[in-house]
Every structure is written in structure tokens, then in C-alpha cells.
Amino acid sequence: MLPLPAARTVADLRRTVAGWRREGLTVGFVPTMGALHEGHISLVRLALARADRVVASIFINPTQFGPNEDLAAYPRDEAGDAARLADAGCHLLFAPSVAEMYPPGVATVVTVSGVSEPLDGQARPGHFAGVATIVAKLLNQARPDVAVFGEKDYQQLQVIRRMAADLDLGVEILGAPTARAQDGLALSSRNAYLTDDERRRAPELAAALTEAVSNLRAGAEVAGVEARAVGRLRAAGFGPVDYVEVRDAADLSRLGPGRLLPGRSARILAAAWLGRARLIDNMAA
Ligand code: AMP
């Protein structure tokens, strides 16, 4: 396996992409924060299916972490990540420094209203402004034809879709289905924070959402379904439960408290703590 070429600066990234463009090749982009798992690799595979050349970025973006969040503890393994990306057929790793992405004097922040306000927007103030700003920068730096994001972070995907449309970024945003462990737990770099006992209890999050979806489809009322899922999580040792909510699948506006109208495009989204890991998950409802 050949080592994966790496760009550390925006100029290096642009030089490589410009070379591909001269050859008439299309470009896909997969932004990540590293500590890569099969979920990230599935995004790379989707990008490879849609573009001739694929760039994956690894950048642990400080502006999307709150002051009391896990920026310092966030898992890092660039050598392992580069090997996984090369193995998947990725063509370039973009791994800039914080100083490269946020040079002194930087003063512009991208905020997306509406879709970024509820759910994680409430639980993690400033998080989506950090996400939208870094993704806008990355997409401007690479200027890809397509960029792939996971449905695992469903609200993030909808925020990025809105931003890309509003700012005329000229890139197609693709969503990829959530990759899960055999027992249903959504793969996440943060699962590394779970103890063995917590890891055994963690699949309850996906199980509670699966049950909720089947009850909604059977005509149960939204408020009762949400409350039941919260109760299941608490009983399994999760806490605090930040939210379990049924929302419009596109703009994330509130649905319920009664039954979902037939044909309504809905999503159930949840965030809950298990020990020192904050787990999130969501499903089509
Ligand atoms: P992260 O490194 O956690 O910031 O994630 C980088 C990208 O990978 C985001 O678009 C995530 O939504 C996506 N991703 C993370 N976990 C999964 C998963 N289990 N399945 C699919 N995509 C994922």
C-alpha cells in the first residue's frame, strides 16, 4: 500500500486539486476530525463512487467545542487514520494546523439560523457556528464537486445543506447512512470514552429509537413515544438525557404532540450521556 500524500497548508491542497482539475477530474471531499472508524470510511467509499479523486480532511476544529467540552481529550491517531484512508483508496489527506485554519485576525463566523437552533444548538451553544464556519472554509479551500457527511450527525448534515444552498457554494452535499456496530450502536470516535460496562449498555440508545419508530408508524402519539424513549434510556443508566424529539426531517421544526400525519417526513433524534460520553443517534420516523 502506498503512503497517502498529505497536504498541510491550503496552498498545498489547492495545488493538488488544481492539478486534478487540469486533467479534467472531478473531486470529492470528506471532512472529519480523525480517529477514523468504518463510518468515516463508508463516506470515503461513497465519495469515491461519485468523484474521480477524493480528499479527506482531519482537523479537530477548536471552535466547535464548548469551553467545558472534550477538545483536549478528543482521540487522535493520524498515522492510523492515514493508513485506513490509503487502504480505502482515498487520494489525499488534508491535515492543516490550527494556525493554518485560524490565522491571527480571523473575524468571520458563519451562523445558520433556524435549523441549527434546537436540539444540539440548545445543548451545545456555538457548536453549529463552529461547524458551519469550518465547513465553509474547507469547501472554499478544496472547491470539490461533492462533499459527503454522515446522517449520524443528522442536524449537522441539515445545517450544512442549508449553508451550502444559502451561500451558493456550488457543491453537492451527500448524506451517508449511519454505520453501526453489530449490536446497533452508531459508530463514533467518542465511543472510545465508554467503559466496558457502559459499552454493554450503549446499544439501548439505538434500541429505544427503533422501538420509537415502530410505535410512531403504528400510530402512537409523538409525546408519549418521546417520553417512553427517555424512560428507557434513564432505566439503562443514561443521564442526563439532553433530548429525544421527533422533528421534521428537513427543517427540524417540532412535530407532535399528537400522531404523525401519514406521509409526513419525520426524524427522531436523541442525545444522552453515558458516563463521560455524550452519545447521539437518530432515525427516519
Ligand atoms: P467526525 O469525525 O465525528 O466529525 O465525523 C466526520 C464525518 O463522519 C461526519 O460527516 C459524520 O457525520 C460522519 N460519521 C461519523 N460517524 C459516522 C457513522 N457511524 N456513520 C456514518 N457517518 C459517520
Side-chain angles (χ1 to χ4, degrees):
M1 186 175 66
L2 288 172
L4 184 64
R8 303 277 167 194
T9 65
V10 177
D12 282 348
L13 169 69
R14 288 198 161 138
R15 204 171 302 120
T16 300
V17 171
W20 294 337
R21 293 294 185 197
R22 278 194 298 276
E23 293 177 58
L25 300 170
T26 57
V27 178
F29 192 84
V30 179
T32 83
M33 297 204 302
L36 301 183
H37 50 64
E38 185 51 33
H40 298 111
I41 299 306
S42 74
L43 308 192
V44 171
R45 280 198 295 268
L46 182 54
L48 283 164
R50 296 291 297 265
D52 302 314
R53 293 289 179 272
V54 170
V55 183
S57 64
I58 297 179
F59 181 66
I60 302 177
N61 175 34
T63 68
Q64 71 189 69
F65 288 77
N68 299 316
E69 292 186 358
D70 57 342
L71 174 60
Y74 199 84
R76 288 161 166 84
D77 175 20
E78 194 188 294
D81 291 344
R84 296 197 75 145
L85 290 170
D87 200 34
C90 180
H91 299 92
L92 180 71
L93 168 63
F94 179 46
S97 66
V98 172
E100 178 72 8
M101 295 303 268
Y102 296 109
V106 68
T108 302
V109 173
V110 178
T111 58
V112 179
S113 50
V115 68
S116 71
E117 289 169 19
L119 307 170
D120 269 15
Q122 291 278 311
R124 305 182 67 191
H127 170 67
F128 286 120
V131 168
T133 303
I134 199 65
V135 173
K137 284 169 67 68
L138 289 165
L139 295 178
N140 263 326
Q141 291 162 355
R143 300 273 171 95
D145 300 279
V146 298
V148 187
F149 297 84
E151 289 183 350
K152 155 80 180 4
D153 300 278
Y154 189 81
Q155 188 175 13
Q156 169 174 284
L157 172 63
Q158 298 311 103
V159 167
I160 289 164
R161 285 190 197 284
R162 182 78 259 157
M163 176 195 69
D166 291 354
L167 297 183
D168 306 304
L169 292 186
V171 54
E172 184 184 358
I173 305 297
L174 293 177
T178 301
R180 298 178 181 279
Q182 289 258 310
D183 59 14
L185 177 64
L187 300 182
S188 167
S189 309
R190 289 191 167 98
N191 292 347
Y193 301 153
L194 298 169
T195 64
D196 289 348
D197 176 56
E198 288 159 358
R199 177 62 189 82
R200 276 190 289 278
R201 284 184 281 153
E204 188 68 4
L205 179 55
L209 294 185
T210 303
E211 180 192 33
V213 168
S214 88
N215 288 340
L216 289 167
R217 289 184 181 163
E221 297 199 339
V222 165
V225 167
E226 291 170 344
R228 184 177 164 81
V230 170
R232 242 186 108 159
L233 292 175
R234 292 216 175 102
F238 285 76
V241 177
D242 285 351
Y243 57 80
V244 179
E245 290 185 13
V246 179
R247 294 208 164 234
D248 179 88
D251 66 13
L252 298 183
S253 58
R254 200 88 178 80
L255 299 180
R259 294 171 174 206
L260 292 179
L261 297 174
R264 178 89 209 203
S265 183
R267 200 93 190 171
I268 184 164
L269 304 99
W273 290 83
L274 188 56
R276 68 187 188 94
R278 183 175 184 273
L279 303 184
I280 61 171
D281 201 350
N282 68 87
M283 291 180 189

